[in-house]
Amino acid sequence: FQYLRRFDLGYDLDTFQYEAHSEEGSPAECLQLFLLHCGIMDPSWAELRNFTWFLNIQLRDCENSVFCNPDFVQDTLRGF
């Protein structure tokens, strides 16, 4: 949710790190963002769960990748 919210607001996500205990937004806003970004017109709960599960894995891997570390790659792979 934190990434999707900042993406929609136009923030630079290259330097953003997930904050586990952040209490931002409402449950309704979270669900709205998931529905907007999941890519399915009328998703089931299982499809939303799979979307969030896959997105979380991809974002965690991105945060842990040296190729996505802005301190390492500097402006070479900006936005990668």
Side-chain angles (χ1 to χ4, degrees):
F1 170 73
Q2 293 174 21
Y3 274 96
L4 291 176
R5 187 170 193 225
R6 282 164 178 76
F7 176 77
D8 279 354
L9 293 173
Y11 285 80
D12 178 13
L13 297 177
D14 287 346
T15 57
F16 176 72
Q17 289 283 315
Y18 166 73
E19 299 171 24
H21 299 290
S22 173
E23 295 199 19
E24 60 183 77
S26 67
E29 183 182 10
C30 181
L31 181 58
Q32 183 180 15
L33 279 177
F34 288 160
L35 289 169
L36 180 67
H37 289 281
C38 79
I40 300 172
M41 284 297 292
D42 188 18
S44 66
W45 285 111
E47 290 166 328
L48 281 176
R49 185 222 172 263
N50 288 338
F51 167 71
T52 57
W53 174 77
F54 180 76
L55 182 62
N56 282 334
I57 288 174
Q58 294 300 308
L59 292 172
R60 184 183 60 225
D61 289 349
C62 180
E63 285 183 350
N64 294 327
S65 171
V66 69
F67 296 107
C68 297
N69 182 337
D71 297 328
F72 177 71
V73 296
Q74 296 172 359
D75 65 349
T76 306
L77 298 174
R78 184 162 176 71
F80 178 68

